[in-house]
């Protein structure tokens, strides 16, 4: 974590909490977040809960006199409207109260065949809809063991780099090693830092300022117990959290770890 970038902790709920339980979880997260200045918090519920969650967190923000936490879609379709059965567009996410969208998650790349090119188009569409994209990149276990980690991660990043650059810091990159997602196997802080640093170098080749302002999150089995060591790495600007985001207390521990690093004791 570098003091020039505000840490971002995003909870990816995947296909959980699509109704009333999602509102309950979001309110509990928003209440905890309202006590922790200096950390930006986002939740990504399923589409069916987005509007209700956005409304509920807005109310918590108003009650607490704080800006509301962010709400993210977990995907979008790159066209604004049309005959695309089952898809949801950027303008629709905006209308539901989202300010964010997760794109290119490895589950979508692997299970639904999303290509680098499609993720790039989605990134362009997100920015055109004034949504902050969280663009996910990451290698599989085979790719890591055969020494291709940086090739894969940087290839995925480069595909969306023009769009990311056009957002001038409003886009976020999430490094999520596929072998660490939902497996309990977390990358070591040093492994994460190595890839994050490479991502930042690549951003800097496009534009040095982009490297300074773009937040790069780590994702893959982040929990209260390992968050501090990961977030302490200079190029780790936050976390994209799956399983541990489904419980407000567990997610709260990660928010606290980010808060403690962002505002160490004795700081003004
Ligand atoms: P996990 O998921 O925290 O459950 O590993 C992270 C993600 O898929 O974004």
């Amino acid at each position: 974590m570098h003091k020039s970038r505000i840490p971002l902790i995003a909870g990816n709920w995947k296909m959980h909490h699509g109704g009333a339980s999602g509102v309950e979880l979001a309110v509990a997260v928003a209440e905890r977040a309202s006590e922790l200045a200096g950390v930006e918090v986002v939740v990504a519920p399923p589409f069916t809960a987005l509007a209700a969650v956005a409304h509920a967190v807005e109310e918590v923000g108003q009650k607490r006199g704080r800006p509301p936490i962010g709400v993210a879609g977990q995907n979008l379709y790159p066209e604004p409207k049309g005959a695309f059965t089952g898809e949801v567009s950027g303008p629709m996410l905006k209308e539901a109260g989202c300010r964010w969208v997760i794109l290119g998650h490895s589950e979508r790349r692997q299970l639904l065949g999303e290509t680098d090119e499609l993720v790039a188009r989605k990134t362009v569409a997100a920015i055109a809809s004034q949504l902050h994209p969280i663009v996910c990149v990451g290698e599989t276990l085979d790719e890591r063991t055969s020494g291709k980690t940086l090739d894969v991660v940087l290839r995925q990043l480069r595909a969306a780099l023009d769009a990311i650059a056009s957002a001038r810091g409003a886009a976020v990159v999430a490094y999520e090693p596929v072998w660490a997602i939902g497996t309990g196997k977390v990358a070591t802080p040093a492994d994460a830092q190595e890839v994050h640093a490479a991502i930042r170098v690549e951003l800097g080749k496009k534009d040095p300022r982009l490297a300074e302002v773009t937040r790069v999150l780590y994702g893959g089995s982040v929990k209260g117990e390992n968050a501090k060591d990961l977030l302490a790495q200079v190029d780790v600007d936050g976390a994209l959290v799956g399983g541990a985001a489904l419980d407000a207390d567990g997610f709260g521990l990660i928010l606290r770890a980010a808060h403690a690093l962002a505002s160490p004791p004795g700081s003004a």
Side-chain angles (χ1 to χ4, degrees), residues 95-107:
E95 210 177 355
C98 293
R99 284 185 285 124
W100 294 84
V101 63
I102 297 171
L103 296 175
H105 189 278
S106 65
E107 285 149 19

Side-chain angles (χ1 to χ4, degrees), residues 16-31:
H16 300 282
H17 296 302
S21 69
V23 172
E24 223 172 274
L25 174 57
V27 167
V29 168
E31 281 170 351

Side-chain angles (χ1 to χ4, degrees), residues 82-183:
F84 304 103
T85 303
E87 296 296 317
V88 171
S89 71
M92 289 170 182
L93 293 180
K94 270 297 265 202
E95 210 177 355
C98 293
R99 284 185 285 124
W100 294 84
V101 63
I102 297 171
L103 296 175
H105 189 278
S106 65
E107 285 149 19
R108 298 203 59 84
R109 291 180 190 262
Q110 297 207 309
L111 303 173
L112 294 149
E114 286 200 9
T115 59
D116 292 351
E117 190 265 331
L118 181 59
V119 176
R121 280 177 59 211
K122 291 183 176 199
T123 310
V124 171
I127 293 162
S129 303
Q130 287 153 356
L131 292 162
H132 301 285
I134 300 175
V135 180
C136 303
V137 296
E139 82 288 1
T140 63
L141 186 56
D142 272 1
E143 289 161 345
R144 172 159 284 261
T145 48
S146 54
K148 294 197 195 120
T149 297
L150 293 183
D151 288 349
V152 171
V153 166
L154 298 181
R155 186 203 75 221
Q156 292 173 336
L157 176 67
R158 281 184 203 117
L161 198 50
D162 284 346
I164 290 170
S166 75
R168 298 206 201 98
V172 169
V173 178
Y175 168 55
E176 299 206 306
V178 178
W179 48 271
I181 295 178
T183 57

